[in-house]
Amino acid sequence: MSWPILRPRLTLSLLALLAGCANPGAPRVPAAVITPAAAGLGDMAGVFPVARWWSALGDPALDSLINTALAGQPGLQAAAARLAAADALLAGLQASQGPQAGLGADVTRQRFSANGLVPPAVAGSVRNTASLQATGHVALDFFGRNDAALGAAIGRQRAAAAEAQAARHVLAGQLTQGWVGLARLLAQRALVGEAQAQRQALRDLVAQRVAAGLDTQGTLRSADGPVPEARGQIAALDAQIATARHRLAVLSGQAPQALDSAAPRLAGLHLALPPAHLGADLLGQRADVVAARWRVEAAAQGVAAARADFYPDINLNASLGLSALGLDRLLNLGSRQYSAGPALHLPLFDGGILRAQLQGRAAEADAAVATYNAAVLDAAREVADAASALRSLALQQAEQAHAQAAAADALALAQQRYQAGLGNRLPVLQADALLLAQRAQTTDLQARQLDAQAVLALALG
């Protein structure tokens, strides 16, 4: 039969097959992915942060600590193992969708039934049977089922890769915040040490005035209280410093005592302020948002694969080999056998199983979109909160600088009066105590600014 006559018949046959397939129902309207504008993000991006954003703080010890953590922290090793598993699944799926070939051989010693279908010459005897056969299989993906399944696997693998990167960024952020926190505790410890010395000096001065009859014992008892209070504060800070060092060491994958000598200084950490406008493509670098977006892609491909299940599955199978009764005949030309042809699977009626699977995949896709949209909105909020906090802290730091300068001027005036003989030492010590309080407030604001910088970098990914 000629091809011009055969072609219409094949077309009609294919259309008949398609008409006989199970009905997937009306096309669904997928959930909408949120736009940058809807999340309150601009289109123009700044230049913050860089990939190794913590390096902007300018502390080589922090860089070394994070490098150590990124190289061998157990949590990151677990994330890397999950990514390797996703890579292996993807590689396996890619390999399974290509042409397949195999070679099989078997030898069997068998007694044939004397009362069966085997001819009398063989019936009731014990013989050797052998076969040697090559097989081949090709899946013809006419309706995109295999491509969709592969696309879903690629989406899951890329999501796992993004999640592994997110784990690295989170770990770096936690270490940076912990490092700033340790520097803050050490700065507070130094200030409380100065305060203890100042309170002791004030108590000694009051004792001298009591001895001279210029003050009462009640005043002396009031001056006695702050000295042990300062010693208690020092002991509490020492415990917090030890705990912070232990946490940083374990978080970086080291023994708890590995950082017992770590002593970061707030004054040695630099603050990098973000640009005035933070755009959508900056937020697009955030690994958990990227992972959520790939989960959406994987779910969409899952829907496409479920819809393709309604259509025929066509494969080509072939085999070529030898089969014989008796090993001496296996390699004879007459022992050859071969087969080739298509295999068709056509769903006609399944009681609604395929439609239920499609609806389930569609619901998973909508859930993935909702998760992504929530991740974008949460990320945008975190960025906005961190940027606002940095701007507010910058204004507070500017005002605090004026307050500290005023306290320093008051101390200088008190010292000048004392040196000129116009007053005693008590106003000097009181002014010094006020300056210490202002310095403590400045230290707190500086640490909060550095911490907010880390929070913003984390929010931007």
Side-chain angles (χ1 to χ4, degrees), residues 292-440:
R293 189 67 182 87
W294 279 116
R295 295 290 181 195
V296 170
E297 178 64 22
Q301 292 294 336
V303 173
R307 182 171 289 275
D309 285 338
F310 286 85
Y311 302 108
D313 183 14
I314 303 174
N315 301 303
L316 290 180
N317 298 312
S319 65
L320 173 65
L322 301 168
S323 180
L325 181 63
L327 294 178
D328 55 333
R329 301 179 181 180
L330 179 62
L331 301 180
N332 290 347
L333 185 61
S335 299
R336 70 186 184 279
Q337 62 179 14
Y338 53 85
S339 65
L344 172 68
H345 171 72
L346 177 64
L348 296 177
F349 178 75
D350 62 356
I353 294 176
L354 292 179
R355 182 175 293 187
Q357 290 177 349
L358 176 60
Q359 291 173 348
R361 294 288 181 87
E364 291 173 1
D366 289 343
V369 170
T371 299
Y372 170 76
N373 291 344
V376 171
L377 289 173
D378 286 343
R381 175 190 55 78
E382 291 172 7
V383 169
D385 290 348
S388 297
L390 270 175
R391 287 191 290 268
S392 174
L393 288 168
L395 293 175
Q396 293 177 56
Q397 190 69 284
E399 297 298 330
Q400 179 59 31
H402 294 310
Q404 183 171 324
D409 291 343
L411 175 60
L413 289 174
Q415 289 173 334
Q416 291 173 7
R417 289 178 58 82
Y418 174 68
Q419 292 169 357
L422 300 178
N424 56 39
R425 194 181 171 203
L426 183 58
V428 175
L429 293 175
Q430 292 172 337
D432 190 31
L434 291 175
L435 180 58
L436 277 174
Q438 293 299 328
R439 287 173 58 195

Side-chain angles (χ1 to χ4, degrees), residues 205-220 424-426:
L205 179 59
V206 172
Q208 294 172 10
R209 290 174 60 83
V210 170
L214 300 176
D215 263 324
T216 65
Q217 286 293 330
T219 304
L220 179 60
N424 56 39
R425 194 181 171 203
L426 183 58

Side-chain angles (χ1 to χ4, degrees), residues 78-252:
R82 289 191 293 271
L83 176 58
D87 290 340
L89 288 174
L90 175 59
L93 182 59
Q94 289 174 323
S96 68
Q97 292 184 0
Q100 307 292 312
L103 179 65
D106 67 83
V107 177
T108 304
R109 187 164 179 80
Q110 178 181 354
R111 182 190 185 282
F112 293 90
S113 171
N115 301 313
L117 298 177
V118 179
V122 179
S125 65
V126 178
R127 302 291 185 93
N128 292 323
T129 60
S131 66
L132 178 64
Q133 184 164 278
T135 60
H137 171 84
V138 177
L140 302 179
D141 192 22
F142 285 122
F143 301 102
R145 176 188 293 103
N146 295 341
D147 284 344
L150 182 61
I154 290 174
R156 289 190 292 269
Q157 185 270 342
R158 290 178 175 174
E163 288 166 353
Q165 185 66 15
R168 294 170 62 87
H169 282 297
V170 169
L171 177 61
Q174 291 174 338
L175 287 170
T176 301
Q177 290 179 290
W179 193 256
V180 171
L182 178 58
R184 179 182 192 174
L185 290 171
L186 290 170
Q188 290 175 341
R189 171 67 169 78
L191 287 173
V192 173
E194 291 184 38
Q196 180 193 13
Q198 185 269 338
R199 292 173 184 180
Q200 184 63 52
L202 181 59
R203 188 265 174 205
D204 293 343
L205 179 59
V206 172
Q208 294 172 10
R209 290 174 60 83
V210 170
L214 300 176
D215 263 324
T216 65
Q217 286 293 330
T219 304
L220 179 60
R221 293 303 297 165
S222 297
D224 283 338
V227 177
E229 179 185 355
R231 289 198 295 266
Q233 291 175 349
I234 290 175
L237 285 170
D238 286 341
Q240 294 178 42
I241 288 169
T243 300
R245 285 171 171 161
H246 296 163
R247 180 179 179 275
L248 281 171
V250 173
L251 192 60
S252 61

